Amino acid sequence: WLLRNVRPSLSQPPCADTVETLTSPNHTMMSRTLVISLMLLLSAVVFALPDTARKLGTPATEVVSRLSGDVDRRIAAPDPAPEHRSCASPSATNQERAIRDKQLRQRAVRERRNDDPLVSIKIAYHVITSSAGAGDVSDAMLAAQTQVLTDAFSGANVQFETAIINRVTNDNYFTNCRSADTAMKNALAKPTDEYLNIYTCSGGQYLGWAYLATTFTETDKRHGVVLRYSTFPGGAQTRYNEGDTGTHEVGHYLNLLHTFDNGCNPGDGVSDTAPEASPAFGCPANRDTCTGGGLDPIYNFMDYTDDACMNEFTPVQLNVVRAALENNKPLLLANSLTSDTTTTTTITTTTTTTT
């Protein structure tokens, strides 16, 4: 464009007394230098645009719609590419919050966290697929998910091990696992005072859900975690396929609330998570939605950010986890105590076809 439009204008002098100046060798050289400089400048701007968009956290070709309601991790489209996180874990009632807060205060008085014995929680995976074969999760992906959980909760001296893999073919459970939640768990659950039951299915519009430890008695079969099959490490769920949906839901299972629960005040009831007015999506560095208390806890496993963004529980959150085991899941705790960090459990695999 510059060569076509700048040079022709130089060849058409506006008046006779400027012809000699414009067409002189020195001026011609200056013109060429100017054209080349402008072309290089434009090229630099064009190539810088994608990087600038990346640094701003706004992909140039992506428009993400966001919800800020109470529903946990809602997604607007079927897998493999939801618009953002969503899980269906119920919010804590005032009574549940009061119970959890009392348990946490009691643990703070004892100051036992650094001396907590090692716990190795056995997982019973229920991999539910459709009759057409949709929803399969490989043994390797299950093993990777178990390791993700162990890494995330290691600060509470809690690890996980795969004990049972139950492969189930059931169209209703796979497609309607939210509405069929109770029936599915009643049919499939292993004893909840011995195992953490994790169920995989389509998830519908959710990535997962779990009930708080305070919601039911310990042996109630409704306890456990339900996960969308594509959220496991290496799965097809864009931005949510590193296993941290599992981390988030196990956090609920052990009495952790969302970091944005009840907004800026009273918040999630954890003293060392900064207050947050609404869920964070993506990985919005320096986000600050509440006055005072610091930047939003976007790196926390109990927010709604991408898996690649999540990487931490706080010390008080880890105290909540231990308090949940001691007070709400004492039988599971007793059945999970171990002094061996290298224990290898023999994995039992079963296959079931139901209607």
Side-chain angles (χ1 to χ4, degrees), residues 42 121 175-176 189 203 268 276 305 319 346 351 354:
L42 286 173
I121 298 175
T175 304
N176 305 309
D268 64 352
E276 187 176 28
T305 48
N319 239 356
T346 300
T351 303
T354 61

Side-chain angles (χ1 to χ4, degrees), residues 320-331:
V320 171
V321 166
R322 291 299 302 211
L325 289 170
E326 292 172 2
N327 294 278
N328 305 116
K329 298 184 182 294
L331 297 176

Side-chain angles (χ1 to χ4, degrees), residues 5 11 24 41 73 107 141 199 205 237 283 304 310 317 319 330 345:
N5 294 282
S11 65
S24 66
L41 177 61
R73 296 184 168 196
R107 272 191 62 82
M141 294 169 75
Y199 308 84
Q205 60 182 332
Q237 202 72 51
C283 195
Y304 273 13
M310 295 179 164
Q317 283 180 314
N319 239 356
T345 299

Side-chain angles (χ1 to χ4, degrees), residues 38-353:
L38 290 172
M39 293 178 68
L40 290 173
L41 177 61
L42 286 173
S43 298
V45 170
V46 170
F47 284 106
L49 282 174
D51 189 57
T52 300
R54 176 184 59 80
K55 291 178 180 177
L56 290 174
T58 308
T61 59
E62 181 179 359
V63 178
V64 180
S65 67
R66 298 172 178 177
L67 297 178
S68 58
D70 294 332
V71 176
D72 191 10
R73 296 184 168 196
R74 180 182 298 274
I75 55 178
D79 69 331
E83 293 188 359
H84 53 72
R85 284 193 185 275
S86 170
C87 83
S89 301
S91 297
T93 64
N94 289 337
Q95 182 180 10
E96 287 174 328
R97 290 173 68 92
I99 292 172
R100 194 195 68 159
D101 291 347
K102 180 180 179 180
Q103 294 170 357
L104 192 56
R105 287 194 301 271
Q106 291 171 339
R107 272 191 62 82
V109 171
R110 295 199 303 270
E111 295 182 348
R112 287 187 48 213
R113 190 173 68 83
N114 291 334
D115 299 323
D116 286 328
L118 178 64
V119 174
S120 187
I121 298 175
K122 296 178 178 62
I123 299 176
Y125 284 112
H126 306 275
V127 180
I128 302 170
T129 56
S130 71
S131 56
D136 188 39
V137 181
S138 70
D139 287 359
M141 294 169 75
L142 298 176
Q145 179 67 70
T146 300
Q147 187 60 52
V148 168
L149 294 176
T150 292
D151 292 343
F153 289 90
S154 60
N157 221 15
V158 174
Q159 66 182 27
F160 297 82
E161 52 186 297
T162 303
I164 296 173
I165 300 175
N166 180 28
R167 297 190 174 277
V168 180
T169 302
N170 186 299
D171 287 321
N172 183 39
Y173 293 168
F174 176 73
T175 304
N176 305 309
C177 47
R178 179 60 180 157
S179 59
D181 180 84
T182 299
M184 174 182 72
K185 291 173 179 176
N186 282 335
L188 302 178
K190 301 301 179 182
T192 55
D193 55 355
E194 297 180 37
Y195 300 94
L196 161 59
N197 288 276
I198 296 181
Y199 308 84
T200 75
C201 61
S202 71
Q205 60 182 332
Y206 303 106
L207 296 188
W209 58 87
Y211 290 104
L212 297 173
T214 53
T215 305
F216 310 114
T217 59
E218 181 177 7
T219 55
D220 194 299
K221 291 184 177 181
R222 286 172 290 183
H223 281 303
V225 168
V226 182
L227 298 175
R228 192 184 187 117
Y229 71 91
S230 51
T231 64
F232 281 70
Q237 202 72 51
T238 304
R239 304 197 306 276
Y240 314 121
N241 60 354
E242 297 182 15
D244 285 325
T245 296
T247 304
H248 180 103
E249 301 306 338
V250 173
H252 287 314
Y253 168 82
L254 293 172
N255 271 351
L256 291 176
L257 306 182
H258 295 130
T259 53
F260 51 85
D261 194 85
N262 282 300
C264 297
N265 187 19
D268 64 352
V270 175
S271 60
D272 59 354
T273 60
E276 187 176 28
S278 60
F281 301 98
C283 195
N286 301 316
R287 184 178 189 255
D288 191 356
T289 57
C290 297
T291 301
L295 298 177
D296 289 358
I298 65 166
Y299 304 110
N300 197 283
F301 289 119
M302 301 312 294
D303 206 338
Y304 273 13
T305 48
D306 292 355
D307 279 16
C309 190
M310 295 179 164
N311 59 30
E312 66 182 14
F313 286 123
T314 67
V316 177
Q317 283 180 314
L318 295 174
N319 239 356
V320 171
V321 166
R322 291 299 302 211
L325 289 170
E326 292 172 2
N327 294 278
N328 305 116
K329 298 184 182 294
L331 297 176
L332 178 67
L333 176 62
N335 288 323
S336 304
L337 290 174
T338 179
S339 59
D340 187 355
T341 59
T342 61
T343 299
T344 301
T345 299
T346 300
I347 301 174
T348 302
T349 302
T350 58
T351 303
T352 307
T353 301

